[in-house]
Amino acid sequence: MAPSVDHRAGLQPLDLRGRPLGVLRLSLTARCNLACPYCLPDDQEPGGLLTLEQRRTVVQAAVALGAHSLRLTGGEPLLHPELEALLEAVQPLREQGLRDIALTSNGTLLSASRARALRQAGLDRITLSLDGADGPSVARMAGLADARAGERTLAAVLAAIEHARNAGFDPATGALKLNAVIQRGRNDDQLLPLAELCREQRLELRLIEYMDVGNRNGWSPSDVVSAAEMLERIHRPWPLEPLGRPLHGTANRWRYRDGSGQLAVVASVSEPFCGDCNRLRITADGLAYACLFAAPGSGVDLRPWLQPDRSFEELQIALADLWQRRSDRYSEERGGPLAATGVHAEMAYLGG
Ligand code: SAM
Ligand code: SF4
């Protein structure tokens, strides 16, 4: 029998493992202008994309249920023409509990004017993704034709870092960070160059273990460089000391002993953090998924509750229901007898 669900007004629901809802990850598009082989996004949008008003309403419902952080993602969210309009539309929700609005982007489309427009529209933080510090590595990791294309993309992302900084996204306050996925044999030789780049720029580098999301990347455990190994390799030239993983956070944080800033590792494979996961994901076409490793199509379609004849309370109840029935902890079960089928929704569709 399904567990009973408490719909009392004002309730901030806990899931079946006692986890509260805290972060809403909203994917604005399933498409991308890159084709990183570890991600391989769709080249077309799914049908039935949410409208701007529907997205604002979903954010409002999540905030009412306890979400304090909104992360806009994709696909590549800078491809979305209504990004700035959505940022403006959600600003009033700060009075209802929304504290932090962040964006994850590959940065290739982040011009100086776009960075300023995002800041003016109310974006608090940007995380840019870059998986190498030279043309050949960037080309390999971003699915580009050759090293020259990799050099152009690298130059665009380095420029994007400057544009973001100049627009007021200050790395010293955590408002600008760099993500890098590390794959053994493909870009693990970039660990030190990436760390050096970020040390020089005083940017927090967030090293992400290569994950078995989606079904297209041919993931194998042997491709994963564990967080422990990444840290060990960086610690040798630049000693680190631990700062810990904040409750509900995804990253273990470290500080360089020589004062050159911080480093973070997202160890979803080797040290899963399902136990305090507080993230809800909404796809560009309005399907709600709690777990990043959920099966394709298993999300709850929110569109029926986003029609003009349905009330905001009905949407809230649907979201609360979904959250209160959640018990997934895929990363902790990975490889064990309880692990799900191994068929996962694609990363760029789910929004990471
Ligand atoms: N296009 C944007 C970008 O690349 O930042 C936003 C979407 S992307 C899906 C979000 C993050 O997920 C990126 O930092 C990307 O590197 C990471 N990612 C994608 N596939 C991954 C995988 N299989 N394992 C680990 N991280 C992955
Ligand atoms: Fe695009 Fe980001 Fe996926 Fe790379 S990781 S293909 S940039 S969505």
Side-chain angles (χ1 to χ4, degrees):
M1 204 173 77
S4 67
V5 173
D6 192 338
H7 296 137
R8 284 169 299 168
L11 181 87
Q12 302 206 330
L14 298 180
D15 76 3
L16 293 172
R17 298 188 187 280
R19 300 172 291 193
L21 169 58
V23 176
L24 178 65
R25 297 188 64 106
L26 195 60
S27 172
L28 301 183
T29 171
R31 288 187 310 115
C32 188
N33 59 331
L34 298 180
C36 308
Y38 56 79
C39 176
L40 288 178
D42 296 319
D43 54 9
Q44 289 196 338
E45 294 289 18
L49 292 183
L50 296 187
T51 63
L52 172 64
E53 177 52 20
Q54 287 175 324
R55 290 198 168 110
R56 192 206 61 76
T57 306
V58 167
V59 179
Q60 186 180 359
V63 168
L65 296 173
H68 48 74
S69 292
L70 170 65
R71 181 164 290 271
L72 301 171
T73 176
E76 176 45 50
L78 291 181
L79 289 174
H80 187 62
E82 291 179 329
L83 172 57
E84 286 81 354
L86 177 63
L87 283 167
E88 281 165 10
V90 297
Q91 294 308 315
L93 301 178
R94 292 191 189 269
E95 279 163 28
Q96 296 170 33
L98 181 61
R99 298 201 296 264
D100 178 47
I101 307 177
L103 176 82
T104 308
S105 164
N106 64 37
T108 54
L109 302 171
L110 190 66
S111 62
S113 60
R114 193 90 200 260
R116 282 196 300 272
L118 291 171
R119 191 70 181 169
Q120 273 160 18
L123 183 67
D124 297 313
R125 298 191 294 120
I126 299 188
T127 305
L128 296 175
S129 302
L130 180 69
D131 305 325
D134 62 34
S137 311
V138 172
R140 209 176 314 122
M141 296 305 286
L144 302 170
D146 53 31
R148 263 219 208 132
E151 270 148 31
R152 283 196 296 274
T153 296
L154 174 60
V157 181
L158 294 178
I161 293 170
E162 271 322 292
H163 299 326
R165 203 192 292 269
N166 294 339
F169 297 95
D170 182 2
T173 63
L176 181 59
K177 298 181 183 176
L178 198 77
N179 270 358
V181 179
I182 301 298
Q183 256 181 292
R184 190 177 301 285
R186 288 184 71 80
N187 71 333
D188 56 327
D189 63 340
Q190 295 298 297
L191 271 172
L192 294 185
L194 280 167
E196 189 169 27
L197 175 91
C198 288
R199 281 165 53 86
E200 280 169 14
Q201 301 243 3
R202 284 291 197 277
L203 271 181
E204 181 176 303
L205 175 62
R206 293 164 51 90
L207 294 165
I208 306 175
E209 287 182 350
Y210 175 38
M211 292 185 282
D212 49 338
V213 275
N215 310 290
R216 300 172 185 161
N217 57 18
W219 185 87
S220 145
S222 60
D223 299 333
V224 179
V225 183
S226 71
E229 182 180 335
M230 295 196 254
L231 287 166
E232 205 262 323
R233 285 165 66 174
I234 293 176
H235 179 78
R236 260 183 253 149
W238 301 302
L240 290 158
E241 56 194 31
L243 296 173
R245 180 176 70 86
L247 183 67
H248 306 304
T250 55
N252 283 304
R253 314 199 51 223
W254 297 74
R255 179 170 51 208
Y256 289 108
R257 278 204 204 129
D258 66 5
S260 300
Q262 295 185 4
L263 176 80
V265 285
V266 180
S268 156
V269 179
S270 67
E271 295 167 50
F273 35 80
C274 305
D276 60 357
C277 173
N278 66 351
R279 289 169 283 285
L280 174 69
R281 302 169 159 86
I282 313 277
T283 64
D285 58 344
L287 268 69
Y289 289 84
C291 184
L292 177 57
F293 300 94
S298 66
V300 173
D301 190 350
L302 298 178
R303 286 169 296 193
W305 287 281
L306 287 163
Q307 301 310 312
D309 59 332
R310 306 301 285 265
S311 70
F312 181 69
E313 286 67 33
E314 285 177 285
L315 172 67
Q316 255 185 298
I317 289 171
L319 268 185
D321 242 47
L322 152 80
W323 190 264
Q324 287 178 287
R325 291 177 200 285
R326 168 178 198 205
S327 67
D328 44 46
R329 53 185 196 104
Y330 172 83
S331 281
E332 289 180 351
E333 292 168 344
R334 177 186 285 112
L338 296 175
T341 59
V343 182
H344 308 304
E346 296 301 326
M347 182 79 155
Y349 174 62
L350 277 191

PDB file of all heavy atoms in Angstrom, residues 72-107:
ATOM      1  N   LEU A  72      19.573  26.732 -12.354  1.00  0.00           N
ATOM      2  CA  LEU A  72      19.114  26.669 -13.738  1.00  0.00           C
ATOM      3  C   LEU A  72      20.178  25.954 -14.548  1.00  0.00           C
ATOM      4  O   LEU A  72      21.359  26.270 -14.470  1.00  0.00           O
ATOM      5  CB  LEU A  72      18.872  28.081 -14.260  1.00  0.00           C
ATOM      6  CG  LEU A  72      17.839  28.865 -13.444  1.00  0.00           C
ATOM      7  CD1 LEU A  72      17.793  30.320 -13.875  1.00  0.00           C
ATOM      8  CD2 LEU A  72      16.462  28.228 -13.541  1.00  0.00           C
ATOM      9  N   THR A  73      19.740  24.969 -15.323  1.00  0.00           N
ATOM     10  CA  THR A  73      20.702  24.125 -15.992  1.00  0.00           C
ATOM     11  C   THR A  73      20.111  23.610 -17.292  1.00  0.00           C
ATOM     12  O   THR A  73      19.172  24.144 -17.833  1.00  0.00           O
ATOM     13  CB  THR A  73      21.159  23.003 -15.009  1.00  0.00           C
ATOM     14  OG1 THR A  73      22.038  22.127 -15.687  1.00  0.00           O
ATOM     15  CG2 THR A  73      20.015  22.222 -14.423  1.00  0.00           C
ATOM     16  N   GLY A  74      20.701  22.545 -17.855  1.00  0.00           N
ATOM     17  CA  GLY A  74      20.210  21.995 -19.116  1.00  0.00           C
ATOM     18  C   GLY A  74      20.854  20.635 -19.358  1.00  0.00           C
ATOM     19  O   GLY A  74      21.294  20.001 -18.391  1.00  0.00           O
ATOM     20  N   GLY A  75      21.057  20.332 -20.567  1.00  0.00           N
ATOM     21  CA  GLY A  75      21.408  21.044 -21.750  1.00  0.00           C
ATOM     22  C   GLY A  75      22.201  22.327 -21.436  1.00  0.00           C
ATOM     23  O   GLY A  75      22.731  22.481 -20.362  1.00  0.00           O
ATOM     24  N   GLU A  76      22.274  23.150 -22.407  1.00  0.00           N
ATOM     25  CA  GLU A  76      22.990  24.408 -22.198  1.00  0.00           C
ATOM     26  C   GLU A  76      21.974  25.530 -21.960  1.00  0.00           C
ATOM     27  O   GLU A  76      21.302  25.964 -22.898  1.00  0.00           O
ATOM     28  CB  GLU A  76      23.894  24.708 -23.403  1.00  0.00           C
ATOM     29  CG  GLU A  76      24.595  26.031 -23.322  1.00  0.00           C
ATOM     30  CD  GLU A  76      25.218  26.304 -21.949  1.00  0.00           C
ATOM     31  OE1 GLU A  76      25.936  25.454 -21.401  1.00  0.00           O
ATOM     32  OE2 GLU A  76      24.967  27.416 -21.414  1.00  0.00           O
ATOM     33  N   PRO A  77      21.888  25.998 -20.719  1.00  0.00           N
ATOM     34  CA  PRO A  77      20.827  26.967 -20.400  1.00  0.00           C
ATOM     35  C   PRO A  77      20.978  28.309 -21.112  1.00  0.00           C
ATOM     36  O   PRO A  77      19.990  29.026 -21.275  1.00  0.00           O
ATOM     37  CB  PRO A  77      20.937  27.131 -18.876  1.00  0.00           C
ATOM     38  CG  PRO A  77      22.297  26.649 -18.528  1.00  0.00           C
ATOM     39  CD  PRO A  77      22.659  25.611 -19.520  1.00  0.00           C
ATOM     40  N   LEU A  78      22.207  28.646 -21.546  1.00  0.00           N
ATOM     41  CA  LEU A  78      22.361  29.929 -22.250  1.00  0.00           C
ATOM     42  C   LEU A  78      21.725  29.885 -23.643  1.00  0.00           C
ATOM     43  O   LEU A  78      21.584  30.911 -24.295  1.00  0.00           O
ATOM     44  CB  LEU A  78      23.835  30.334 -22.351  1.00  0.00           C
ATOM     45  CG  LEU A  78      24.505  30.711 -21.031  1.00  0.00           C
ATOM     46  CD1 LEU A  78      25.954  31.109 -21.264  1.00  0.00           C
ATOM     47  CD2 LEU A  78      23.772  31.827 -20.303  1.00  0.00           C
ATOM     48  N   LEU A  79      21.337  28.696 -24.105  1.00  0.00           N
ATOM     49  CA  LEU A  79      20.597  28.614 -25.372  1.00  0.00           C
ATOM     50  C   LEU A  79      19.145  29.046 -25.191  1.00  0.00           C
ATOM     51  O   LEU A  79      18.437  29.268 -26.168  1.00  0.00           O
ATOM     52  CB  LEU A  79      20.587  27.167 -25.902  1.00  0.00           C
ATOM     53  CG  LEU A  79      21.889  26.598 -26.450  1.00  0.00           C
ATOM     54  CD1 LEU A  79      21.709  25.117 -26.779  1.00  0.00           C
ATOM     55  CD2 LEU A  79      22.313  27.360 -27.700  1.00  0.00           C
ATOM     56  N   HIS A  80      18.716  29.120 -23.953  1.00  0.00           N
ATOM     57  CA  HIS A  80      17.298  29.380 -23.702  1.00  0.00           C
ATOM     58  C   HIS A  80      17.005  30.881 -23.789  1.00  0.00           C
ATOM     59  O   HIS A  80      17.558  31.668 -23.012  1.00  0.00           O
ATOM     60  CB  HIS A  80      16.917  28.847 -22.323  1.00  0.00           C
ATOM     61  CG  HIS A  80      15.457  28.932 -22.054  1.00  0.00           C
ATOM     62  ND1 HIS A  80      14.522  28.250 -22.803  1.00  0.00           N
ATOM     63  CD2 HIS A  80      14.764  29.635 -21.150  1.00  0.00           C
ATOM     64  CE1 HIS A  80      13.319  28.539 -22.347  1.00  0.00           C
ATOM     65  NE2 HIS A  80      13.439  29.368 -21.345  1.00  0.00           N
ATOM     66  N   PRO A  81      16.140  31.291 -24.709  1.00  0.00           N
ATOM     67  CA  PRO A  81      15.943  32.726 -24.929  1.00  0.00           C
ATOM     68  C   PRO A  81      15.275  33.437 -23.755  1.00  0.00           C
ATOM     69  O   PRO A  81      15.381  34.653 -23.632  1.00  0.00           O
ATOM     70  CB  PRO A  81      15.045  32.781 -26.178  1.00  0.00           C
ATOM     71  CG  PRO A  81      14.422  31.436 -26.291  1.00  0.00           C
ATOM     72  CD  PRO A  81      15.344  30.460 -25.624  1.00  0.00           C
ATOM     73  N   GLU A  82      14.583  32.663 -22.887  1.00  0.00           N
ATOM     74  CA  GLU A  82      13.852  33.327 -21.793  1.00  0.00           C
ATOM     75  C   GLU A  82      14.580  33.234 -20.451  1.00  0.00           C
ATOM     76  O   GLU A  82      13.976  33.456 -19.407  1.00  0.00           O
ATOM     77  CB  GLU A  82      12.467  32.705 -21.657  1.00  0.00           C
ATOM     78  CG  GLU A  82      11.571  33.037 -22.835  1.00  0.00           C
ATOM     79  CD  GLU A  82      10.189  32.406 -22.719  1.00  0.00           C
ATOM     80  OE1 GLU A  82      10.075  31.319 -22.123  1.00  0.00           O
ATOM     81  OE2 GLU A  82       9.241  33.005 -23.239  1.00  0.00           O
ATOM     82  N   LEU A  83      15.868  32.944 -20.493  1.00  0.00           N
ATOM     83  CA  LEU A  83      16.610  32.780 -19.241  1.00  0.00           C
ATOM     84  C   LEU A  83      16.523  34.034 -18.363  1.00  0.00           C
ATOM     85  O   LEU A  83      16.183  33.965 -17.177  1.00  0.00           O
ATOM     86  CB  LEU A  83      18.066  32.425 -19.572  1.00  0.00           C
ATOM     87  CG  LEU A  83      19.072  32.391 -18.448  1.00  0.00           C
ATOM     88  CD1 LEU A  83      18.647  31.422 -17.345  1.00  0.00           C
ATOM     89  CD2 LEU A  83      20.451  31.972 -18.987  1.00  0.00           C
ATOM     90  N   GLU A  84      16.837  35.182 -18.946  1.00  0.00           N
ATOM     91  CA  GLU A  84      16.824  36.418 -18.150  1.00  0.00           C
ATOM     92  C   GLU A  84      15.401  36.734 -17.674  1.00  0.00           C
ATOM     93  O   GLU A  84      15.194  37.160 -16.536  1.00  0.00           O
ATOM     94  CB  GLU A  84      17.377  37.603 -18.962  1.00  0.00           C
ATOM     95  CG  GLU A  84      18.891  37.579 -19.147  1.00  0.00           C
ATOM     96  CD  GLU A  84      19.362  36.663 -20.278  1.00  0.00           C
ATOM     97  OE1 GLU A  84      18.537  35.934 -20.874  1.00  0.00           O
ATOM     98  OE2 GLU A  84      20.577  36.674 -20.576  1.00  0.00           O
ATOM     99  N   ALA A  85      14.419  36.494 -18.547  1.00  0.00           N
ATOM    100  CA  ALA A  85      13.023  36.771 -18.161  1.00  0.00           C
ATOM    101  C   ALA A  85      12.606  35.873 -16.996  1.00  0.00           C
ATOM    102  O   ALA A  85      11.912  36.316 -16.071  1.00  0.00           O
ATOM    103  CB  ALA A  85      12.100  36.558 -19.362  1.00  0.00           C
ATOM    104  N   LEU A  86      13.052  34.630 -17.012  1.00  0.00           N
ATOM    105  CA  LEU A  86      12.720  33.722 -15.908  1.00  0.00           C
ATOM    106  C   LEU A  86      13.388  34.198 -14.615  1.00  0.00           C
ATOM    107  O   LEU A  86      12.773  34.209 -13.539  1.00  0.00           O
ATOM    108  CB  LEU A  86      13.159  32.289 -16.246  1.00  0.00           C
ATOM    109  CG  LEU A  86      12.924  31.262 -15.151  1.00  0.00           C
ATOM    110  CD1 LEU A  86      11.423  31.097 -14.854  1.00  0.00           C
ATOM    111  CD2 LEU A  86      13.515  29.906 -15.536  1.00  0.00           C
ATOM    112  N   LEU A  87      14.651  34.619 -14.735  1.00  0.00           N
ATOM    113  CA  LEU A  87      15.348  35.124 -13.542  1.00  0.00           C
ATOM    114  C   LEU A  87      14.569  36.287 -12.929  1.00  0.00           C
ATOM    115  O   LEU A  87      14.393  36.356 -11.709  1.00  0.00           O
ATOM    116  CB  LEU A  87      16.760  35.591 -13.919  1.00  0.00           C
ATOM    117  CG  LEU A  87      17.789  34.475 -14.121  1.00  0.00           C
ATOM    118  CD1 LEU A  87      19.040  35.012 -14.793  1.00  0.00           C
ATOM    119  CD2 LEU A  87      18.129  33.832 -12.780  1.00  0.00           C
ATOM    120  N   GLU A  88      14.102  37.182 -13.791  1.00  0.00           N
ATOM    121  CA  GLU A  88      13.337  38.333 -13.270  1.00  0.00           C
ATOM    122  C   GLU A  88      12.030  37.863 -12.637  1.00  0.00           C
ATOM    123  O   GLU A  88      11.622  38.356 -11.590  1.00  0.00           O
ATOM    124  CB  GLU A  88      13.067  39.328 -14.397  1.00  0.00           C
ATOM    125  CG  GLU A  88      14.295  40.173 -14.680  1.00  0.00           C
ATOM    126  CD  GLU A  88      14.230  40.917 -16.004  1.00  0.00           C
ATOM    127  OE1 GLU A  88      13.150  40.947 -16.635  1.00  0.00           O
ATOM    128  OE2 GLU A  88      15.277  41.474 -16.404  1.00  0.00           O
ATOM    129  N   ALA A  89      11.412  36.881 -13.282  1.00  0.00           N
ATOM    130  CA  ALA A  89      10.098  36.430 -12.811  1.00  0.00           C
ATOM    131  C   ALA A  89      10.172  35.754 -11.440  1.00  0.00           C
ATOM    132  O   ALA A  89       9.188  35.755 -10.694  1.00  0.00           O
ATOM    133  CB  ALA A  89       9.485  35.477 -13.838  1.00  0.00           C
ATOM    134  N   VAL A  90      11.326  35.147 -11.100  1.00  0.00           N
ATOM    135  CA  VAL A  90      11.389  34.438  -9.812  1.00  0.00           C
ATOM    136  C   VAL A  90      11.912  35.325  -8.671  1.00  0.00           C
ATOM    137  O   VAL A  90      11.907  34.893  -7.514  1.00  0.00           O
ATOM    138  CB  VAL A  90      12.235  33.135  -9.895  1.00  0.00           C
ATOM    139  CG1 VAL A  90      11.599  32.142 -10.866  1.00  0.00           C
ATOM    140  CG2 VAL A  90      13.680  33.412 -10.274  1.00  0.00           C
ATOM    141  N   GLN A  91      12.344  36.543  -8.988  1.00  0.00           N
ATOM    142  CA  GLN A  91      12.900  37.399  -7.925  1.00  0.00           C
ATOM    143  C   GLN A  91      11.935  37.604  -6.748  1.00  0.00           C
ATOM    144  O   GLN A  91      12.352  37.558  -5.592  1.00  0.00           O
ATOM    145  CB  GLN A  91      13.351  38.766  -8.481  1.00  0.00           C
ATOM    146  CG  GLN A  91      14.530  38.697  -9.446  1.00  0.00           C
ATOM    147  CD  GLN A  91      15.734  37.932  -8.917  1.00  0.00           C
ATOM    148  OE1 GLN A  91      16.149  38.115  -7.777  1.00  0.00           O
ATOM    149  NE2 GLN A  91      16.287  37.061  -9.739  1.00  0.00           N
ATOM    150  N   PRO A  92      10.614  37.831  -7.010  1.00  0.00           N
ATOM    151  CA  PRO A  92       9.713  38.027  -5.858  1.00  0.00           C
ATOM    152  C   PRO A  92       9.675  36.834  -4.913  1.00  0.00           C
ATOM    153  O   PRO A  92       9.295  36.976  -3.750  1.00  0.00           O
ATOM    154  CB  PRO A  92       8.338  38.242  -6.529  1.00  0.00           C
ATOM    155  CG  PRO A  92       8.655  38.704  -7.924  1.00  0.00           C
ATOM    156  CD  PRO A  92       9.928  38.025  -8.305  1.00  0.00           C
ATOM    157  N   LEU A  93      10.092  35.653  -5.396  1.00  0.00           N
ATOM    158  CA  LEU A  93      10.053  34.469  -4.527  1.00  0.00           C
ATOM    159  C   LEU A  93      11.115  34.531  -3.434  1.00  0.00           C
ATOM    160  O   LEU A  93      11.111  33.731  -2.502  1.00  0.00           O
ATOM    161  CB  LEU A  93      10.218  33.194  -5.363  1.00  0.00           C
ATOM    162  CG  LEU A  93       9.142  33.002  -6.434  1.00  0.00           C
ATOM    163  CD1 LEU A  93       9.412  31.749  -7.258  1.00  0.00           C
ATOM    164  CD2 LEU A  93       7.762  32.917  -5.796  1.00  0.00           C
ATOM    165  N   ARG A  94      12.020  35.493  -3.532  1.00  0.00           N
ATOM    166  CA  ARG A  94      13.008  35.664  -2.448  1.00  0.00           C
ATOM    167  C   ARG A  94      12.293  36.003  -1.143  1.00  0.00           C
ATOM    168  O   ARG A  94      12.762  35.665  -0.063  1.00  0.00           O
ATOM    169  CB  ARG A  94      14.009  36.758  -2.814  1.00  0.00           C
ATOM    170  CG  ARG A  94      14.927  36.349  -3.982  1.00  0.00           C
ATOM    171  CD  ARG A  94      16.054  37.349  -4.130  1.00  0.00           C
ATOM    172  NE  ARG A  94      16.826  37.144  -5.328  1.00  0.00           N
ATOM    173  CZ  ARG A  94      17.931  36.377  -5.418  1.00  0.00           C
ATOM    174  NH1 ARG A  94      18.374  35.738  -4.355  1.00  0.00           N
ATOM    175  NH2 ARG A  94      18.576  36.262  -6.549  1.00  0.00           N
ATOM    176  N   GLU A  95      11.151  36.686  -1.266  1.00  0.00           N
ATOM    177  CA  GLU A  95      10.400  37.025  -0.048  1.00  0.00           C
ATOM    178  C   GLU A  95       9.694  35.809   0.524  1.00  0.00           C
ATOM    179  O   GLU A  95       9.207  35.831   1.648  1.00  0.00           O
ATOM    180  CB  GLU A  95       9.380  38.118  -0.361  1.00  0.00           C
ATOM    181  CG  GLU A  95      10.049  39.473  -0.371  1.00  0.00           C
ATOM    182  CD  GLU A  95       9.232  40.536  -1.050  1.00  0.00           C
ATOM    183  OE1 GLU A  95       7.995  40.413  -1.043  1.00  0.00           O
ATOM    184  OE2 GLU A  95       9.858  41.473  -1.590  1.00  0.00           O
ATOM    185  N   GLN A  96       9.618  34.738  -0.258  1.00  0.00           N
ATOM    186  CA  GLN A  96       8.928  33.531   0.224  1.00  0.00           C
ATOM    187  C   GLN A  96       9.910  32.431   0.614  1.00  0.00           C
ATOM    188  O   GLN A  96       9.513  31.290   0.852  1.00  0.00           O
ATOM    189  CB  GLN A  96       7.965  33.039  -0.859  1.00  0.00           C
ATOM    190  CG  GLN A  96       6.860  34.050  -1.123  1.00  0.00           C
ATOM    191  CD  GLN A  96       6.028  33.720  -2.359  1.00  0.00           C
ATOM    192  OE1 GLN A  96       5.819  32.565  -2.679  1.00  0.00           O
ATOM    193  NE2 GLN A  96       5.567  34.745  -3.045  1.00  0.00           N
ATOM    194  N   GLY A  97      11.222  32.730   0.597  1.00  0.00           N
ATOM    195  CA  GLY A  97      12.186  31.725   1.074  1.00  0.00           C
ATOM    196  C   GLY A  97      13.278  31.358   0.089  1.00  0.00           C
ATOM    197  O   GLY A  97      14.197  30.621   0.432  1.00  0.00           O
ATOM    198  N   LEU A  98      13.173  31.854  -1.151  1.00  0.00           N
ATOM    199  CA  LEU A  98      14.237  31.555  -2.128  1.00  0.00           C
ATOM    200  C   LEU A  98      15.455  32.418  -1.781  1.00  0.00           C
ATOM    201  O   LEU A  98      15.363  33.641  -1.724  1.00  0.00           O
ATOM    202  CB  LEU A  98      13.726  31.859  -3.543  1.00  0.00           C
ATOM    203  CG  LEU A  98      14.694  31.572  -4.684  1.00  0.00           C
ATOM    204  CD1 LEU A  98      15.080  30.098  -4.726  1.00  0.00           C
ATOM    205  CD2 LEU A  98      14.068  31.974  -6.028  1.00  0.00           C
ATOM    206  N   ARG A  99      16.596  31.738  -1.544  1.00  0.00           N
ATOM    207  CA  ARG A  99      17.765  32.503  -1.085  1.00  0.00           C
ATOM    208  C   ARG A  99      18.866  32.574  -2.131  1.00  0.00           C
ATOM    209  O   ARG A  99      19.707  33.469  -2.096  1.00  0.00           O
ATOM    210  CB  ARG A  99      18.361  31.833   0.168  1.00  0.00           C
ATOM    211  CG  ARG A  99      17.425  31.784   1.345  1.00  0.00           C
ATOM    212  CD  ARG A  99      18.194  31.607   2.643  1.00  0.00           C
ATOM    213  NE  ARG A  99      18.899  30.335   2.720  1.00  0.00           N
ATOM    214  CZ  ARG A  99      18.422  29.257   3.313  1.00  0.00           C
ATOM    215  NH1 ARG A  99      17.237  29.295   3.878  1.00  0.00           N
ATOM    216  NH2 ARG A  99      19.116  28.137   3.364  1.00  0.00           N
ATOM    217  N   ASP A 100      18.891  31.614  -3.062  1.00  0.00           N
ATOM    218  CA  ASP A 100      20.072  31.484  -3.900  1.00  0.00           C
ATOM    219  C   ASP A 100      19.650  31.026  -5.293  1.00  0.00           C
ATOM    220  O   ASP A 100      18.926  30.048  -5.426  1.00  0.00           O
ATOM    221  CB  ASP A 100      20.973  30.431  -3.233  1.00  0.00           C
ATOM    222  CG  ASP A 100      22.229  30.168  -4.026  1.00  0.00           C
ATOM    223  OD1 ASP A 100      22.874  31.148  -4.438  1.00  0.00           O
ATOM    224  OD2 ASP A 100      22.567  28.985  -4.232  1.00  0.00           O
ATOM    225  N   ILE A 101      20.115  31.754  -6.320  1.00  0.00           N
ATOM    226  CA  ILE A 101      19.788  31.371  -7.700  1.00  0.00           C
ATOM    227  C   ILE A 101      21.101  31.213  -8.461  1.00  0.00           C
ATOM    228  O   ILE A 101      21.902  32.150  -8.561  1.00  0.00           O
ATOM    229  CB  ILE A 101      18.897  32.423  -8.385  1.00  0.00           C
ATOM    230  CG1 ILE A 101      17.663  32.722  -7.522  1.00  0.00           C
ATOM    231  CG2 ILE A 101      18.477  31.934  -9.769  1.00  0.00           C
ATOM    232  CD1 ILE A 101      16.756  33.798  -8.077  1.00  0.00           C
ATOM    233  N   ALA A 102      21.327  30.008  -8.974  1.00  0.00           N
ATOM    234  CA  ALA A 102      22.609  29.690  -9.602  1.00  0.00           C
ATOM    235  C   ALA A 102      22.364  29.141 -11.010  1.00  0.00           C
ATOM    236  O   ALA A 102      21.251  28.723 -11.351  1.00  0.00           O
ATOM    237  CB  ALA A 102      23.346  28.653  -8.756  1.00  0.00           C
ATOM    238  N   LEU A 103      23.443  29.153 -11.805  1.00  0.00           N
ATOM    239  CA  LEU A 103      23.380  28.681 -13.185  1.00  0.00           C
ATOM    240  C   LEU A 103      24.573  27.768 -13.420  1.00  0.00           C
ATOM    241  O   LEU A 103      25.685  28.072 -12.977  1.00  0.00           O
ATOM    242  CB  LEU A 103      23.484  29.899 -14.116  1.00  0.00           C
ATOM    243  CG  LEU A 103      23.527  29.638 -15.620  1.00  0.00           C
ATOM    244  CD1 LEU A 103      22.113  29.420 -16.157  1.00  0.00           C
ATOM    245  CD2 LEU A 103      24.155  30.826 -16.352  1.00  0.00           C
ATOM    246  N   THR A 104      24.352  26.651 -14.118  1.00  0.00           N
ATOM    247  CA  THR A 104      25.478  25.826 -14.580  1.00  0.00           C
ATOM    248  C   THR A 104      25.518  25.921 -16.091  1.00  0.00           C
ATOM    249  O   THR A 104      24.512  25.670 -16.756  1.00  0.00           O
ATOM    250  CB  THR A 104      25.297  24.344 -14.188  1.00  0.00           C
ATOM    251  OG1 THR A 104      25.029  24.276 -12.795  1.00  0.00           O
ATOM    252  CG2 THR A 104      26.563  23.554 -14.473  1.00  0.00           C
ATOM    253  N   SER A 105      26.686  26.270 -16.641  1.00  0.00           N
ATOM    254  CA  SER A 105      26.778  26.509 -18.085  1.00  0.00           C
ATOM    255  C   SER A 105      28.150  26.085 -18.590  1.00  0.00           C
ATOM    256  O   SER A 105      29.129  26.140 -17.851  1.00  0.00           O
ATOM    257  CB  SER A 105      26.582  28.002 -18.349  1.00  0.00           C
ATOM    258  OG  SER A 105      27.019  28.341 -19.651  1.00  0.00           O
ATOM    259  N   ASN A 106      28.201  25.709 -19.869  1.00  0.00           N
ATOM    260  CA  ASN A 106      29.520  25.429 -20.435  1.00  0.00           C
ATOM    261  C   ASN A 106      30.266  26.712 -20.785  1.00  0.00           C
ATOM    262  O   ASN A 106      31.437  26.664 -21.180  1.00  0.00           O
ATOM    263  CB  ASN A 106      29.422  24.483 -21.641  1.00  0.00           C
ATOM    264  CG  ASN A 106      28.659  25.092 -22.808  1.00  0.00           C
ATOM    265  OD1 ASN A 106      28.752  26.277 -23.088  1.00  0.00           O
ATOM    266  ND2 ASN A 106      27.912  24.246 -23.527  1.00  0.00           N
ATOM    267  N   GLY A 107      29.606  27.835 -20.681  1.00  0.00           N
ATOM    268  CA  GLY A 107      30.282  29.133 -20.784  1.00  0.00           C
ATOM    269  C   GLY A 107      30.586  29.613 -22.194  1.00  0.00           C
ATOM    270  O   GLY A 107      30.948  30.774 -22.377  1.00  0.00           O
TER     271      GLY A 107
END
